[in-house]
Amino acid sequence: ACLKDIPDNLIFHLKRFDYDVSTGMRSKINDNFEFPLEIDMSPYDVEYLKDPEHAATEDKFILVGILVHSGNAESGHYYSYIRERPANTRDECAWVEFNDADVVRFDPSNIPDQCYGGLAEPVAYPPMRYPKTWNAYMLFYQRSSSMELERQKHLPIVPAVPVKESIPLEMMPGIVLENELFIRKFCLFDPEHAKFVKQMLVHFRSFNSGLCSEDHALERRVIWMVLEHVDQIFSRTKDCPEFHTLMDMVAKAASTCPDCCKLTLDWIHHHDHALRNLLLRNPDEERRRKFSKMVLGALRFLREHDSTLYGVDVDNAEHDSMLLHEIPDIDGALQNMVGGLKELWSCLHLHCRAWDEYFELCTGIAQLGRLECAVLHRAAYLNHCLQLLIVDHNTASIKKLRFDIPYLGNYFRMLDKGRKFSFKYLLALLARLLECADFSMESTSDTYENDYQLPVSTGYPLSNMEENIIRFGSDMPRSKGLVFLDKAISGDHNILACQSIVRILTRAESDLELSNAIETTILHGITIDPSLGAKPYLMAALAFCEACTMTKFARHLVSNIALEVETIGCNGGDEHLEFFKAVRRIRNDNLMNAEPAFFYNLVLRYVPRWAPALLIYSDPAVRVETINLLHQLVFSFDTRSMDDEQKADEVNDIAKALCRACLKRITDYIIIPNKQIEASMVEEIVRVVRFCIGTYYQEEDEEEGPSLAVIESG
C-alpha cells in the first residue's frame, strides 16, 4: 500500500462476507484474523517508499474501536468495543462495550477471544471445535499524536477528578428523554412494580363495594395498566414466573362483567403491536398459549352474555334468521379480533415458532360456531390457509401469486432457506372452515363482499380462487392429485384434520367431483420411498373409504394399496398392516350399491396381494400380527363343514391363491437370488404354506397339489 496523506483516523473493513457466483449463495468467513493494538503507518507513506533508505519518523496509530458481527451471512447482530478517549487518568486503557441498550466495561485482554474469530474451545465430549460466529468486522485506529492533543485539552483541573464536558443545548431534550425512558424501564422491571400491578387487579373493585363503576373508567385504567405491564415485560423476557397468575387474574376479571371483558379485548384492538408481541414475538410457548386461551375465553364470555358488545346477534343466527350479508361490520369484539389477527399475515412468516398458537386461536374462534366461521371466511381466512399450502409449487400461476401478494413471497423465501413451519392448527382451521362451506352453491367473486343472501346455518359458497386452489393440480398432465391436499398430508402435521378434510371433500362428490383426484393424491403419497412416510396417506385412505360414495373408487384404492405392499421393503410394514386391520371394519352407509361388509370382503379378496410380503417382513411383531389377521379372515373357517357353500368356495379359493402367492414370494425373493436370511424370517410364511396345503388342497387336486408339495418340501 502507498498512502500520500494519512488521516488521523483509519478504518479497516475486514472481508468477512463472500458471494459464490456459481451457486448464488452468500457465506460468512469466520477464519482467525489477528490484528495489533498499535500499528506504525510510516512504512506505507509515499515519501518513505520513494526513498526507503531514508529514516522514517514513526507514525503510530492506536486501536480505539472494534465493530463485531455475530451471526451468519443471512442474519446477525452488530455491537462495538470502544476505547475511552481522552484516557481516564485512573486507567490509561479503558474500554466499553456498546450492545444495543447495554453499556458495560470491557476488558481488552478479551479481544483475542471475542474479536479474532477462528475456532471456539471444545466444551463437550467428545471434544468438538466449532467456528466462532462472532468476530471483528471493522477496525478503527487513531493517530497517537492526535489522541495526546485531545488529552491535553481535557486535563482535569482537580487531580483524580474526571473532566466534565458541557452538553450542547440542542442535544439536551433528547438526552433527558432517553434518561426518563431508561428510568421508566428500570421501574417496570422492578419486582415491586409487578406486585403493585397485581394488587391493583385484586382490589380495584373494592372501591365500589365489589361492583363495577357505572362508566367503567376505573376498570379501564386498571385493566389496561395490567395489560400494558404484561406487554412491556412478559412479552419480551424469558423468566416470568408471575405471568400465568396474572393472566388468570385478567381472565377472571373479564369473565365477571361484559363491559370489563370488552375493555380487555379493546386494549388488544387499540394497541397496534399487542397481538404481535404477545402471540408471535413472545419467546415462551406456554405464555403464548396462555394469552391465546385468555382471548378465546373473553370472546366466548361475550358471545354468551352480550351480543351487542360481541358484534353479532348469535341467537338470531342460530335460529336461521341472520343472513350472511347482514353480519355487521362494526366495532364488535369478534370483528376486531378477526381483523387484528388478519393484520398479522404480513409478518407471520417471521415467527415460525408461533404458528401453532396463532392458528390455534383462529381455530378456537371458528369452533365457537358457524357464525364465526362465516366472519372468518369473509375475512379470507380459508383462502389464506389454502394459499399457504400451495405457495411453494413451481408453476407460472403460483409464481405470479407470490409476486402479487408480498407476504406469500416472503413466506416462500423463508421456505426456500429451509425454515420449518408447523401446519398442525392451520389444518385444523382449514378443516373447520371447509366443514361450514356449502359446495352446492355456485362459487362467488374473490372480493368477499358476501352479496349472497343465505342463512348462516346453511353455509357459505367458495370463492372462485378458493375453488381453483382446491382443484389445483388435478388437471395437470401426469397429475399427482390435489397439490394442497398432498402438502397437508405429507408433513404428518395433523392426521385427524387431514382425515376430516378428506371426508368433507369426498362426501361432496356430487358437487365437486374430486374423488378421483383425492384417490390419486393418496395413492401417489403411499408409493413414496421410504414407505415409512406413507402412514399419513394410509390414514387419509381410511377417511376416504369412510366417506366415499362410489364403490369403484374404494375398490381401486384398496386394490392398489394391497399391490403396493410388495414394494415396501424394510419400512412401513406395521402401518400397512394396521390399514388392512382398520379398513375391514369400516361400515359406509353412503356407499351406493354396496353390501354392509363391502370393505371386509375387499380385504379378504386381496389377501394374496398384501399378506406374503408382510409374512416375511423384518419386524417379527408384524409377521405375528399378519398371521393373527389371516386367522380371523381365512383360517378360522372350516370350509368342509360350512353351510354356505359359496362362502366356503370363496375362502378355499383365497387360501389357495395365498399359498401360491407365498410360494412365489419365497421363490422370487429368496430361492432364485440365493439370498441368505435367518430361518426365523421365513418361519411364518412356511407355516402358512404348510397349513394351506394340508387344509385346502384335496387328493383330487392332482395337477396343482403335488407341485406345491414338492416346492414346499424343498
Side-chain angles (χ1 to χ4, degrees):
C2 177
L3 304 174
K4 182 178 181 181
D5 295 313
I6 303 177
D8 287 341
N9 295 282
L10 298 176
I11 302 175
F12 293 92
H13 185 185
L14 307 184
K15 185 174 170 54
R16 285 289 183 186
F17 297 98
D18 196 12
Y19 180 78
D20 191 329
V21 179
S22 61
T23 63
M25 300 292 291
R26 297 177 69 231
S27 62
K28 184 181 178 186
I29 303 170
N30 294 307
D31 296 355
N32 182 72
F33 177 78
E34 300 180 14
F35 46 86
L37 299 179
E38 298 180 0
I39 184 172
D40 182 11
M41 294 299 295
S42 60
Y44 308 100
D45 185 77
V46 64
E47 297 299 328
Y48 172 78
L49 293 172
K50 285 181 180 179
D51 186 9
E53 295 182 0
H54 179 72
T57 303
E58 184 183 44
D59 190 8
K60 186 168 69 172
F61 283 74
I62 308 296
L63 181 68
V64 296
I66 307 169
L67 176 64
V68 176
H69 178 267
S70 175
N72 54 42
E74 301 297 335
S75 62
H77 176 61
Y78 292 96
Y79 54 95
S80 300
Y81 300 119
I82 301 176
R83 180 172 177 161
E84 284 190 5
R85 306 184 306 287
N88 191 321
T89 55
R90 292 170 296 177
D91 188 351
E92 291 296 324
C93 188
W95 285 71
V96 180
E97 177 184 350
F98 292 85
N99 192 339
D100 290 342
D102 297 326
V103 180
V104 295
R105 289 288 180 185
F106 176 69
D107 185 352
S109 64
N110 291 327
I111 287 178
D113 179 57
Q114 297 297 320
C115 304
Y116 283 178
L119 297 175
E121 292 299 320
V123 294
Y125 186 84
M128 299 285 290
R129 302 188 71 188
Y130 298 96
K132 295 178 180 178
T133 58
W134 63 96
N135 34 57
Y137 181 59
M138 298 181 74
L139 306 175
F140 300 81
Y141 288 86
Q142 184 176 355
R143 183 175 271 122
S144 59
S145 59
S146 70
M147 292 176 63
E148 179 60 23
L149 288 174
E150 232 178 74
R151 192 181 72 83
Q152 292 296 331
K153 289 180 183 179
H154 298 86
L155 288 174
I157 300 174
V158 180
V161 176
V163 177
K164 289 187 177 181
E165 187 71 34
S166 60
I167 301 174
L169 290 176
E170 62 270 16
M171 296 178 63
M172 283 298 295
I175 293 175
V176 171
L177 178 60
E178 287 290 332
N179 288 338
E180 182 180 343
L181 292 175
F182 178 81
I183 293 298
R184 287 185 179 184
K185 184 178 179 181
F186 178 83
C187 294
L188 275 175
F189 284 91
D190 187 339
E192 295 302 317
H193 180 68
K195 294 179 182 178
F196 166 75
V197 169
K198 183 177 178 181
Q199 289 301 312
M200 284 294 294
L201 194 57
V202 171
H203 298 293
F204 76 96
R205 285 200 175 101
S206 62
F207 295 102
N208 195 32
S209 303
L211 302 175
C212 291
S213 61
E214 186 174 345
D215 60 359
H216 276 78
L218 175 62
E219 288 78 4
R220 180 181 184 276
R221 286 187 176 184
V222 173
I223 291 174
W224 282 35
M225 180 190 68
V226 172
L227 292 172
E228 285 281 3
H229 180 77
V230 169
D231 181 33
Q232 293 291 326
I233 306 301
F234 297 144
S235 67
R236 292 169 168 82
T237 55
K238 294 184 178 180
D239 186 18
C240 303
E242 292 291 328
F243 176 83
H244 293 281
T245 302
L246 205 54
M247 277 290 96
D248 287 338
M249 294 174 66
V250 171
K252 183 178 179 181
S255 64
T256 56
C257 168
D259 290 296
C260 290
C261 185
K262 183 63 161 55
L263 285 174
T264 303
L265 297 172
D266 280 347
W267 177 86
I268 299 172
H269 174 61
H270 291 293
H271 289 72
D272 294 338
H273 301 291
L275 269 177
R276 184 173 182 181
N277 288 341
L278 291 165
L279 189 60
L280 300 185
R281 285 177 173 166
N282 197 313
D284 184 78
E285 177 185 343
E286 286 300 317
R287 293 206 299 271
R288 296 194 299 268
R289 183 159 278 121
K290 190 74 174 180
F291 173 74
S292 172
K293 183 178 179 181
M294 185 274 291
V295 171
L296 189 60
L299 287 172
R300 185 180 291 110
F301 178 81
L302 273 186
R303 187 181 196 271
E304 296 171 355
H305 293 87
D306 196 318
S307 58
T308 302
L309 295 178
Y310 186 59
V312 287
D313 191 342
V314 179
D315 292 334
N316 285 339
E318 290 178 349
H319 289 87
D320 294 353
S321 60
M322 176 172 285
L323 305 183
L324 283 173
H325 76 290
E326 293 176 344
I327 296 176
D329 190 11
I330 62 174
D331 186 29
L334 174 63
Q335 292 88 336
N336 290 342
M337 186 56 59
V338 169
L341 290 170
K342 181 177 179 177
E343 289 178 2
L344 296 181
W345 292 356
S346 62
C347 63
L348 198 56
H349 63 282
L350 300 174
H351 306 281
C352 58
R353 66 184 176 184
W355 272 43
D356 275 350
E357 291 74 46
Y358 173 85
F359 283 105
E360 184 179 16
L361 176 55
C362 296
T363 304
I365 294 174
Q367 290 173 344
L368 290 175
R370 300 181 69 89
L371 172 67
E372 285 75 10
C373 287
V375 174
L376 288 166
H377 180 259
R378 186 171 68 174
Y381 277 73
L382 175 56
N383 186 58
H384 177 61
C385 292
L386 291 169
Q387 287 174 339
L388 290 175
L389 292 174
I390 67 164
V391 73
D392 58 341
H393 202 266
N394 194 25
T395 57
S397 60
I398 302 303
K399 289 179 180 178
K400 184 178 184 302
L401 188 67
R402 296 198 294 259
F403 179 81
D404 292 340
I405 306 178
Y407 69 78
L408 290 179
N410 294 331
Y411 168 63
F412 172 74
R413 282 186 281 276
M414 300 297 282
L415 289 176
D416 203 37
K417 292 178 181 178
R419 192 68 58 88
K420 302 296 183 183
F421 295 84
S422 171
F423 290 163
K424 180 179 179 181
Y425 288 100
L426 182 151
L427 294 175
L429 175 62
L430 177 60
R432 174 59 178 163
L433 294 177
L434 287 173
E435 179 186 359
C436 294
D438 187 349
F439 301 109
S440 65
M441 297 174 63
E442 184 178 352
S443 58
T444 64
S445 65
D446 299 324
T447 58
Y448 297 95
E449 294 175 350
N450 290 337
D451 51 356
Y452 41 87
Q453 299 186 16
L454 284 171
V456 170
S457 60
T458 303
Y460 39 77
L462 298 177
S463 70
N464 294 328
M465 179 172 285
E466 289 163 352
E467 184 169 354
N468 289 338
I469 294 177
I470 289 175
R471 296 184 181 279
F472 180 66
S474 61
D475 55 353
M476 292 181 179
R478 299 180 181 179
S479 173
K480 298 178 182 178
L482 303 176
V483 172
F484 97 92
L485 185 59
D486 182 62
K487 182 73 172 182
I489 299 173
S490 62
D492 197 9
H493 295 275
N494 188 336
I495 291 178
L496 293 179
C498 289
Q499 287 184 310
S500 179
I501 293 170
V502 169
R503 291 189 193 97
I504 292 168
L505 297 180
T506 304
R507 286 171 181 154
E509 171 64 17
S510 59
D511 301 312
L512 297 177
E513 298 182 354
L514 286 176
S515 292
N516 185 50
I518 296 171
E519 181 193 349
T520 302
T521 307
I522 295 172
L523 287 176
H524 179 262
I526 288 174
T527 57
I528 61 175
D529 187 30
S531 298
L532 191 62
K535 179 180 177 180
Y537 291 95
L538 290 168
M539 299 296 289
L542 288 175
F544 181 84
C545 292
E546 291 170 355
C548 187
T549 59
M550 302 179 70
T551 56
K552 66 175 183 179
F553 292 123
R555 184 180 295 108
H556 186 259
L557 179 65
V558 176
S559 171
N560 278 274
I561 294 176
L563 281 173
E564 193 270 335
V565 175
E566 295 183 3
T567 66
I568 62 175
C570 299
N571 296 298
D574 183 57
E575 290 78 8
H576 283 76
L577 179 60
E578 289 300 319
F579 169 80
F580 291 111
K581 290 167 68 175
V583 77
R584 69 191 172 101
R585 300 190 181 98
I586 291 178
R587 296 291 185 271
N588 183 355
D589 297 332
N590 297 320
L591 204 58
M592 294 184 295
N593 303 320
E595 67 276 13
F598 175 79
F599 287 102
Y600 180 93
N601 292 332
L602 275 185
V603 174
L604 177 63
R605 183 182 308 166
Y606 296 131
V607 159
R609 295 186 181 182
W610 57 262
L614 297 178
L615 287 169
I616 57 172
Y617 189 69
S618 56
D619 186 352
V622 172
R623 301 197 298 268
V624 172
E625 284 299 311
T626 303
I627 288 283
N628 293 338
L629 182 56
L630 288 175
H631 179 77
Q632 297 173 30
L633 292 170
V634 182
F635 302 152
S636 60
F637 295 99
D638 184 358
T639 56
R640 298 175 184 177
S641 59
M642 289 178 64
D643 296 332
D644 189 341
E645 294 184 3
Q646 183 178 356
K647 178 68 174 178
D649 291 340
E650 181 184 9
V651 172
N652 258 319
D653 292 341
I654 290 172
K656 291 179 180 180
L658 172 63
C659 183
R660 292 192 296 271
C662 288
L663 289 169
K664 187 176 187 304
R665 185 78 179 182
I666 295 172
T667 304
D668 293 346
Y669 287 86
I670 300 175
I671 297 177
I672 294 178
N674 196 23
K675 186 176 181 181
Q676 300 297 318
I677 62 173
E678 296 181 7
S680 59
M681 286 278 292
V682 296
E683 182 178 338
E684 284 78 10
I685 197 169
V686 170
R687 282 173 52 198
V688 168
V689 172
R690 286 176 175 168
F691 181 82
C692 289
I693 290 175
T695 305
Y696 301 103
Y697 284 94
Q698 308 300 324
E699 294 181 0
E700 57 269 18
D701 298 329
E702 295 180 358
E703 296 183 1
E704 194 174 22
S707 62
L708 293 173
V710 170
I711 296 174
E712 185 271 345
S713 62

